[in-house]
DNA sequence: GAAGGTACCTGACATAGCAAGGTACTGTGC
DNA sequence: GCACAGTACCTTGCTATGTCAGGTACCTTC
């Protein structure tokens, strides 16, 4: 089946991408091109370079990550990012917000959808 | 502590609101003003009318919900919404996308954040 | 020297939540 | 009769951020 939910996901992804990137960078210093691959492996196939590079730039501008250029022998120089202390703090906050959201949605999503919605009480 | 994550949440919420609304409506026919209250009870306190009404209009325009006006004796008429068959389908798709996203993020978020990020291998 | 993989970046566009404000109906109290 | 508070709706800008499409450039291999 084709990814018709791709369009939907694009909205769900908002705000999640930064968190995911920050989290991956906390795990292991990395660069944009590789991060795209790592996200794809996680199953987030619909994330493209055009989302990741701007997101990384934002994180750097915000001071959440620091970058260093490392020349490569398999192409142009790679820009390796790693979280700053502020980035770790931001990540922690973001994870709290995410967990809170997931927990808030759980009670309604876990219940099976009723066959017919109940009529409103007047 | 104040809700400093409110700003962050605004991004995390993208796409989640429609799903939550659709899900609540599947549970029980309702109207905007009440839905805001229900979302607040769920812990989604940062959702305001200015988000809910446009979201409901979008859902109606998309054909995901149908609406009917019911006069009230405690104020102006209420606009009750309930999901259409297309809305149920959309909800199902959306829940899949959501679950997929949550599951994709789990493996990286559940691991404890390393004290120091590992140096990249060259 | 052309091709293809690696690696970066950007600009125009669409989406959707937020903030702020406006309208209007109802019952209550004065 | 009138102001008020609560209920209930809606809209206009603003902003953030993902997508799409495209561009640049390095390096190795053929």
């Amino acid at each position: 089946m084709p990814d018709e939910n791709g369009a939907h996901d694009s909205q769900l992804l908002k705000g999640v991408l930064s968190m995911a990137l920050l989290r991956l960078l906390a795990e292991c210093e990395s660069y944009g091109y590789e991060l795209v691959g790592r996200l794809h492996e996680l199953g987030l196939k619909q994330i493209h370079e055009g989302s990741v590079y701007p997101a990384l730039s934002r994180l750097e501008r915000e001071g959440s990550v620091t970058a260093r250029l490392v020349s490569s022998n398999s192409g142009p120089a790679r820009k390796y990012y790693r979280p700053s202390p502020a980035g770790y703090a931001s990540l922690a906050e973001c994870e709290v917000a995410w967990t809170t959201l997931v927990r808030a949605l759980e009670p309604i999503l876990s219940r099976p959808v009723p066959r017919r919605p109940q009529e409103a009480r007047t």
Side-chain angles (χ1 to χ4, degrees), chain A:
Chain A
M1 59 215 85
D3 49 15
E4 298 186 45
N5 49 356
H8 239 129
D9 275 359
S10 81
Q11 290 305 322
L12 289 180
L13 267 184
K14 302 258 168 154
V16 171
L17 179 55
S18 318
M19 177 178 63
L21 288 174
L22 220 36
R23 190 57 181 77
L24 288 174
L25 292 174
E27 204 85 21
C28 174
E29 190 184 27
S30 187
Y31 54 98
Y33 194 80
E34 192 193 48
L35 286 165
V36 173
R38 285 218 259 163
L39 290 168
H40 284 192
E41 284 170 21
L42 284 171
L44 305 170
K45 302 262 172 65
Q46 72 281 22
I47 297 178
H48 303 291
E49 298 185 1
S51 310
V52 171
Y53 287 116
L56 287 170
S57 298
R58 270 198 310 274
L59 289 171
E60 189 180 11
R61 201 182 330 122
E62 289 171 7
S64 295
V65 299
T66 56
R68 62 180 181 123
L69 274 174
V70 177
S71 61
S72 158
N73 55 356
S74 68
R78 299 167 177 171
K79 200 164 174 185
Y80 278 91
Y81 294 92
R82 68 169 57 182
S84 67
Y88 280 101
S90 167
L91 174 59
E93 274 178 33
C94 204
E95 290 196 29
V96 168
W98 173 252
T99 309
T100 303
L101 180 62
V102 172
R103 293 237 180 93
L105 258 3
E106 245 168 28
I108 51 166
L109 293 182
S110 63
R111 280 200 295 265
V113 177
R115 296 286 167 75
R116 271 164 175 261
Q118 292 184 355
E119 191 87 5
R121 290 161 305 226
T122 324

